[in-house]
Amino acid sequence: MANAACLQLARKELDKELQMNLLEEVLHHLEEYKLAENQAQNSLWTQGPLKTSTSSDILMMMYEFEALTKLNHPRAEAILERALTLPKPDPDIFHTLAALASDPPSNNIALSMRALKVAIRMHLQVECPDFEKCSVDVRSLIELCMESNETEALNYFMETTDMIGKRAKGLYPEIELLWLMTKSWNRGLHYFNCNKFSLAEQWCSLSMQLLKYIPMARSDYEEQMMSFYGELMSCLEREDKRTAAEETFAGRRY
């Protein structure tokens, strides 16, 4: 209760120094908790592989992670590592850790992305994944990637499109399919307007692949997308011919 109260106050506190003091107080309470639990030899804070854990243990772990990330403390990474040793860890735990890592003033995008990757991997490891929950983590991961590393974002788009076709079998939420399709198409348009036709083709072709899994949207988008894609391919072909001609000319000069 003391930890919950301190964190709630810290979330609302506008004064930076007071906020930091509240977060430090959370860590102090947690040290007392860990000491008591270690003495009982029945908590996830003991050394060695984790064999059991309680809801209280997991809650305390969440409290410590939030406090450490908001303090920009490097030990937050160790809490994520510790969570990976939980017996039968739930993807929801890593979903929550990702949200805490990106919540201001933390803004630890790298740690948030890592937690999301773990959550997605865990979702997909089971025989019948919960694609509703998985899709939420996929969207969050892609949004973070688009802000920091677009090449990585493109790879996740490709992996997600492949997963939707091979594993989801119509179970991936349509609203998330539309989001993916629109996001990739708009990115393709952006590159087309910048005369980066190769990148535009990569993003637009992904969008068209996703359209195949949204039957209700085909009548609204397919004709327009096919028309634009034809124009894009013409531009890409002209660019390839121009590049080839320039290379041939440069070779003759020497």
Side-chain angles (χ1 to χ4, degrees):
M1 290 178 66
N3 285 326
C6 286
L7 281 171
Q8 185 63 20
L9 290 171
R11 292 173 193 137
K12 297 179 178 179
E13 182 57 63
L14 298 179
D15 185 282
K16 187 70 172 178
E17 184 176 353
L18 289 177
Q19 184 186 59
M20 296 300 105
N21 289 341
L22 287 165
L23 294 170
E24 292 286 357
E25 188 175 342
V26 171
L27 296 179
H28 174 73
H29 290 311
L30 283 165
E31 286 303 316
E32 292 180 340
Y33 169 80
K34 286 190 281 186
L35 179 61
E37 289 295 288
N38 280 335
Q39 290 172 348
Q41 296 184 349
N42 185 32
S43 89
L44 61 83
W45 309 105
T46 57
Q47 296 298 315
L50 297 177
K51 297 180 180 178
T52 61
S53 62
T54 66
S55 295
S56 295
D57 290 328
I58 294 172
L59 188 59
M60 293 301 108
M61 181 179 68
M62 297 290 187
Y63 287 160
E64 182 169 22
F65 185 81
E66 180 175 357
L68 288 171
T69 54
K70 283 182 165 59
L71 287 166
N72 292 314
H73 198 293
R75 191 156 56 91
E77 184 82 23
I79 305 301
L80 181 57
E81 293 290 342
R82 196 66 175 158
L84 289 167
T85 70
L86 286 167
K88 297 180 180 179
D90 192 308
D92 288 349
I93 292 173
F94 296 91
H95 171 88
T96 302
L97 292 176
L100 292 173
S102 59
D103 185 46
S106 304
N107 295 320
N108 193 327
I109 302 304
L111 196 56
S112 182
M113 286 173 57
R114 187 178 173 206
L116 286 168
K117 291 174 191 177
V118 172
I120 294 167
R121 185 173 69 247
M122 288 182 173
H123 278 301
L124 297 177
Q125 281 175 343
V126 301
E127 186 176 350
C128 299
D130 185 336
F131 287 106
E132 290 280 348
K133 289 185 175 181
C134 184
S135 68
V136 173
D137 291 328
V138 168
R139 181 196 279 229
S140 297
L141 178 60
I142 287 175
E143 285 183 324
L144 291 176
C145 283
M146 295 290 278
E147 297 174 6
S148 57
N149 188 330
E150 191 164 306
T151 300
E152 191 174 7
L154 180 60
N155 289 334
Y156 287 131
F157 260 99
M158 293 177 176
E159 290 178 12
T160 302
T161 303
D162 186 62
M163 175 267 289
I164 289 168
K166 293 180 179 178
R167 291 207 59 190
K169 307 294 184 184
L171 297 177
Y172 207 84
E174 185 169 316
I175 188 67
E176 294 302 320
L177 287 170
L178 282 168
W179 182 84
L180 288 166
M181 185 193 78
T182 304
K183 194 78 171 177
S184 54
W185 187 258
N186 288 342
R187 206 63 196 158
L189 287 177
H190 165 75
Y191 282 120
F192 179 83
N193 291 330
C194 294
N195 294 325
K196 296 181 179 181
F197 302 122
S198 180
L199 279 171
E201 192 280 329
Q202 286 182 288
W203 284 101
C204 288
S205 62
L206 274 175
S207 185
M208 294 175 72
Q209 289 180 54
L210 289 162
L211 181 62
K212 294 188 300 184
Y213 307 115
I214 321 173
M216 297 295 290
R218 285 184 189 172
S219 60
D220 295 326
Y221 296 104
E222 190 168 34
E223 184 177 347
Q224 178 183 352
M225 291 172 78
M226 289 296 293
S227 175
F228 175 79
Y229 190 75
E231 181 183 352
L232 169 59
M233 292 306 293
S234 295
C235 291
L236 188 58
E237 185 178 354
R238 287 196 297 271
E239 182 180 60
D240 288 343
K241 288 180 178 179
R242 183 171 62 251
T243 301
E246 289 172 352
E247 290 176 350
T248 300
F249 178 74
R252 288 175 179 173
R253 286 175 59 191
Y254 294 100

